[in-house]
Amino acid sequence: MRLDLQQVRSFHNAGFIAISQPVIDRRNLAKVRDIYDRMFESRAGRAEGNQFDLAGTDEDDRPAALSQILYPHRYYPEIRGDYVETIHDIAQQLLGPAVTTEIFHAILKPAGIGAPTPWHQDEAYWEPDRQYRSISIWMPLQEVTVDNGCLWFNDGSHEWDVLEHRSIGGDPRVHGLELVDSSVIRDAVPCPLPPGGVTIHRNRTCHYAGPNTTGESRRALVLSASLPDRPYVGTRQFRWNDGKDTRRAQRAAEAGRTDQTGAPKPEAVD
Ligand code: NI
């Protein structure tokens, strides 16, 4: 899929782009959706801390308000398809030929109870001593609208520093982060999409998704495309991550896993 010059310029100026043309055909989308639903029903990756409630305290016996699975292809390798190559091709047009593209996570906003995803920058989750050059490619598996939780972006925010974040609601048991002061958001643009369309945003672009008030779950699959990260020049701290006390991290520690930040780590599929 070729982006035109205006799309590429718009992405670099705004820090995001919405592409309505699907990157996956209907038949393969139905297949991915079926795998996706089985994956969430089985809570794939839970024991390792890779499935958790992003927006809640993540008790075993409570339905998740916003269920996330990191690295879903580790558990369901068949979730990969030709769409990964199509997205890689788009990523190369935006970041250049050296980019590495991989499935990153899946995020399910359940019907009726799906919580909002507060304004945040993805880089706030990652390592403060690294300089990132990455994009997230967000692909809904059904139509997304303002009512079921399409993404919103703040125009131009990819050029901001990483702003002050905290755990959602100020509760360190919650994995998800939110901007402490969301009054900086003044140019919010909603991006409704058809099934299999994509939005693409930079690692510092501020974004948000509303609650799902519809009767159908909102399914999204997120890929990451990155150039190699570099050491961060200067010093900075992400104190909001140091104070976290999540069940997810406990499970990861018990399983002997060290990749607890959720930073993008494109990798070969096992
Ligand atoms: Ni995000």
Side-chain angles (χ1 to χ4, degrees), residues 120 122 201 207:
H120 68 280
D122 290 340
H201 64 273
H207 55 289

Side-chain angles (χ1 to χ4, degrees), residues 174-189:
V174 179
H175 176 83
L177 296 175
E178 63 185 8
L179 286 184
V180 170
D181 177 10
S182 58
S183 71
V184 294
I185 303 301
R186 293 188 182 163
D187 298 294
V189 182

Side-chain angles (χ1 to χ4, degrees), residues 52-179:
F52 53 92
D53 185 356
L54 179 79
T57 48
D58 198 30
E59 276 95 348
D60 281 330
D61 53 357
R62 237 203 210 171
L66 200 51
S67 186
Q68 182 160 8
I69 296 178
L70 293 176
Y71 320 117
H73 51 291
R74 285 187 188 166
Y75 309 102
Y76 284 77
E78 65 273 29
I79 201 163
R80 275 183 70 94
D82 292 345
Y83 65 90
V84 176
E85 284 308 311
T86 304
I87 286 171
H88 178 60
D89 180 47
I90 294 170
Q92 286 189 315
Q93 295 171 59
L94 295 175
L95 291 187
V99 76
T100 309
T101 305
E102 194 46 270
I103 297 172
F104 185 20
H105 62 86
I107 188 150
L108 176 73
K109 203 175 273 266
I113 61 165
T117 315
W119 285 102
H120 68 280
Q121 294 163 297
D122 290 340
E123 189 175 331
Y125 283 91
W126 305 341
E127 304 287 355
D129 60 351
R130 306 303 298 170
Q131 179 81 36
Y132 295 97
R133 297 174 293 166
S134 75
I135 54 180
S136 289
I137 303 94
W138 190 94
M139 178 176 79
L141 305 186
Q142 70 294 297
E143 183 185 10
V144 280
T145 63
V146 168
D147 291 336
N148 72 352
C150 70
L151 287 188
W152 296 62
F153 300 98
N154 196 72
D155 197 331
S157 52
H158 63 304
E159 292 183 340
W160 298 354
D161 287 336
V162 175
L163 303 177
E164 189 76 11
H165 284 68
R166 68 179 174 205
S167 295
I168 294 173
D171 184 341
R173 295 174 301 169
V174 179
H175 176 83
L177 296 175
E178 63 185 8
L179 286 184

Side-chain angles (χ1 to χ4, degrees), residues 165-243:
H165 284 68
R166 68 179 174 205
S167 295
I168 294 173
D171 184 341
R173 295 174 301 169
V174 179
H175 176 83
L177 296 175
E178 63 185 8
L179 286 184
V180 170
D181 177 10
S182 58
S183 71
V184 294
I185 303 301
R186 293 188 182 163
D187 298 294
V189 182
C191 293
L193 284 174
V198 290
T199 60
I200 302 177
H201 64 273
R202 296 291 305 240
N203 42 296
R204 290 189 187 176
T205 307
C206 286
H207 55 289
Y208 160 90
N212 181 1
T213 60
T214 72
E216 190 193 351
S217 292
R218 190 222 65 186
R219 306 164 184 84
L221 193 59
V222 185
L223 281 76
S224 166
S226 311
L227 295 171
D229 49 298
R230 296 166 166 156
Y232 182 81
V233 176
T235 52
R236 59 177 182 171
Q237 291 185 318
F238 293 167
R239 289 178 295 104
W240 47 86
N241 291 332
D242 301 337

